[in-house]
Amino acid sequence: MVATSQPLAVQAGIRTMEIGGNAADAAISVAATLTVVEPTMNGIGSDAFAIIWDGTQLHGLNASGKSPALWSPDKFSGNKDMPKFGWNSVTVPGAVSGWVEISKRFGNLPFEKTLEPAIQYARNGFHISPTVFLQWANQAPSLADQPGFSDVFMPGGKIPKIGDLFKNIDQANTLEMIGSSQGKSFYTGETAKAMVEHCQTHGGYMSLNDLENHRAEWIGTYSLMYRDYDIHEMPPNTQGISVLIALGILNNFDLKNYPENSAMSIHLQIEAIKIAFVETYKNISDLNSIIFNPKKMLDNSFLKKRSQDIDMNKSSTYHSTDFSLSDTVYLTTSDKNGMMISMIQSNYSGFGSGIVVPGTGVSMQNRGSSFSLDPNHPNRISGGKKPFHTIIPGFVMCNNKPLISFGVMGADMQPQGHVQILVKMLDYGYDVQGAADALRWKVTTSGEIDMEDGFPDKTIEELRAKGHRIRICPFGSLQFGASQIIRKIKTGYVGGSEPRRDGMAAGI
C-alpha cells in the first residue's frame, strides 16, 4: 500500500512494487516523484526523516543536513531574525542521502530503478493539480527575484495553471545522475560543484567540504506508552518529542470519560500541547547542543507533575516561537512481507529558499531560517550544526508488532495533528480514514485556537468560557495540516488519505 499527498506519486510507488520493489523501493520512488510533482512543498534540495519497520526491528533515519561550517553568530549579527530566503537560509540538503541509505539497507531494486518514475514525470511533464496550483500561485510572486527561481518555476514569466503540463528537464537529468552515481553526483560530483559555485556567486558560504562531509544517520526513535500502544517519534533535532510529552501528559487523564468533541476533551488536549511546545521550543535543537538528556522530559514523574499544571476550568496563557511555516510532504508505504515505512520530506517554506541552481533543477530548502539568534538558546546558529526541525514521521507499535504508520504535514501543526489523529484512533476508536477526515483544531503561536467549522456550538461556547480565544476557520484551511495513514490488519493493510489535499491511498 502507498499513501501520500499527490496521486501521481502514489502511482509511482505502486508501479515500483509491481516490478518487484518492496516498501523501501516504493518509498524512494514516491519521495523522488514528490520533488517533481509537488515542488511547492519539497525538492531535491530538501531534508527528510523516516521510521522504518523492516519486518523484525524499528529504525529511525535522520537525513537532515548541517549548517555550512563558515556560518557563525557574527555572520548574522546585524539581523533581527535569520534570513528566510536566499543562500544564507540554506543548510546542507539531506533528502538524497536518505534515499540512498534506505535503498542500500532495505531495497530490493537497483537504486536507479526507483528513480525512474520521477525522471519520467520531470522529462515528459505532469499536469498541475488543484492544491499544487494554489500553493504555487501563493508563493511564486514573492520568490520571483530569487536566483534561478523564475527560469524554472515561472516559465515565460507566468505561473502554471491547473491542468497545465509542466516539465523540468534539468531536474530529470539531475535525478538520472543521482541514480547512476548512487547519490555521489549530488554530494561530491557535478551537481555539488554547481551548487557551491552558485552559492558563492550569490554571497553564500556553503563549500564542497560541507557537502562531502554530510551523512544521513541511523539514530533510532524516542518512544512512550500511550494507553496500550507504543508511540514512536524521531529524536532531536526534530520536534517529535513534543508529541510524546503531550501524550504522556494525557496519560494522566481518561479522555474516554468525555465525548470526543466535547469542550473538556479538547481543552485537555490543547493544554497538553501547550505544555509540550513550551518544553520543546525552549530545550530542543541539534542533539549535540542539548546540555541534558531530553528523555528526562518523558519520565512519568515529570509528565505527571506537568499534567498537574493543567487547570480543568481555565485556559493557560501561551505564546511561542513561530514555527508556522507549513510546507511539507509525507508518505507511507507497506508491503506483503510486513515492511512499513513512515517518511517525511520538506523544503520548510514552500519552494524553500527560492534558490534554484541553474542547469540542475534543484530547489534548495531554507531550513537554516529556523535557527535562533538568541545567544542563550540551544538552537543558536553556529557552523556545522543541525537546526531545529519541525518535520516528524510517526509510528505506532502494539505488543511489539507494527500497527500504524502515519504523519501529519504542517509545521507546528504536525505534533498537534499527531496527537489528534492518535486520540481519535486509540481513545475514540476511529478507523484511519475517519481519523484523517475528522475536524481539527490548532494552537497558534499567539495562543489563539483555530478550529475548523463544524464543532458543536456548545463546545465552542464552553471553550470560550474557559478563556480560550477561538477563531472558526473553513474546513480544509491549509493551517490544519494534512495526514496520510496505513494501519496493519490481519489480512493486510488499510490506508487513509487526507481530504484537505490532492492525495490518495492505494493498494495492490
Side-chain angles (χ1 to χ4, degrees), residues 153-194:
F153 292 116
M154 296 179 68
K158 297 180 180 179
I159 298 168
K161 294 183 171 56
I162 296 172
D164 282 358
L165 186 71
F166 181 81
K167 299 180 182 181
N168 193 337
I169 306 300
D170 288 340
Q171 187 176 15
N173 294 336
T174 295
L175 286 167
E176 281 187 336
M177 288 191 292
I178 288 170
S180 62
S181 70
Q182 304 293 300
K184 292 178 182 177
S185 65
F186 191 77
Y187 291 104
T188 63
E190 185 177 326
T191 306
K193 292 172 184 174

Side-chain angles (χ1 to χ4, degrees), residues 130-293:
T131 299
V132 170
F133 163 72
L134 289 174
Q135 295 162 348
W136 210 310
N138 287 339
Q139 298 170 36
S142 63
L143 298 173
D145 294 334
Q146 292 298 332
F149 181 85
S150 294
D151 293 340
V152 174
F153 292 116
M154 296 179 68
K158 297 180 180 179
I159 298 168
K161 294 183 171 56
I162 296 172
D164 282 358
L165 186 71
F166 181 81
K167 299 180 182 181
N168 193 337
I169 306 300
D170 288 340
Q171 187 176 15
N173 294 336
T174 295
L175 286 167
E176 281 187 336
M177 288 191 292
I178 288 170
S180 62
S181 70
Q182 304 293 300
K184 292 178 182 177
S185 65
F186 191 77
Y187 291 104
T188 63
E190 185 177 326
T191 306
K193 292 172 184 174
M195 286 191 284
V196 169
E197 180 181 352
H198 191 251
C199 173
Q200 295 179 355
T201 298
H202 293 278
Y205 298 98
M206 191 175 294
S207 70
L208 278 175
N209 281 340
D210 292 322
L211 292 166
E212 290 172 358
N213 291 333
H214 170 77
R215 300 289 184 275
E217 300 174 286
W218 295 101
I219 61 171
T221 62
Y222 280 6
S223 66
L224 177 136
M225 290 298 296
Y226 180 69
R227 314 309 184 202
D228 297 322
Y229 304 91
D230 196 9
I231 314 302
H232 288 261
E233 296 281 347
M234 291 300 299
N237 52 314
T238 79
Q239 63 177 338
I241 197 170
S242 60
V243 178
L244 304 180
I245 293 171
L247 293 174
I249 290 170
L250 291 174
N251 268 333
N252 294 281
F253 305 92
D254 189 352
L255 291 183
K256 291 180 181 178
N257 287 335
Y258 312 105
E260 59 177 286
N261 283 334
S262 67
M264 187 57 74
S265 176
I266 294 172
H267 172 72
L268 289 171
Q269 293 174 65
I270 286 172
E271 294 304 303
I273 283 289
K274 287 179 181 179
I275 292 170
F277 277 167
V278 167
E279 297 294 344
T280 300
Y281 294 161
K282 179 176 64 177
N283 294 307
I284 298 302
S285 179
D286 186 319
L287 200 52
N288 295 321
S289 302
I290 303 173
I291 60 175
F292 69 99
N293 184 353

Side-chain angles (χ1 to χ4, degrees), residues 12 30 65 82 116 155 159 220 249 260 264 278 298-299 301 305 352 358-359 409 421 493 500:
V30 174
M82 286 293 295
E116 285 184 358
I159 298 168
I249 290 170
E260 59 177 286
M264 187 57 74
V278 167
L298 301 179
D299 289 346
S301 57
K305 183 177 179 181
M409 298 164 268
I421 289 282
Y493 304 96
R500 300 163 183 83

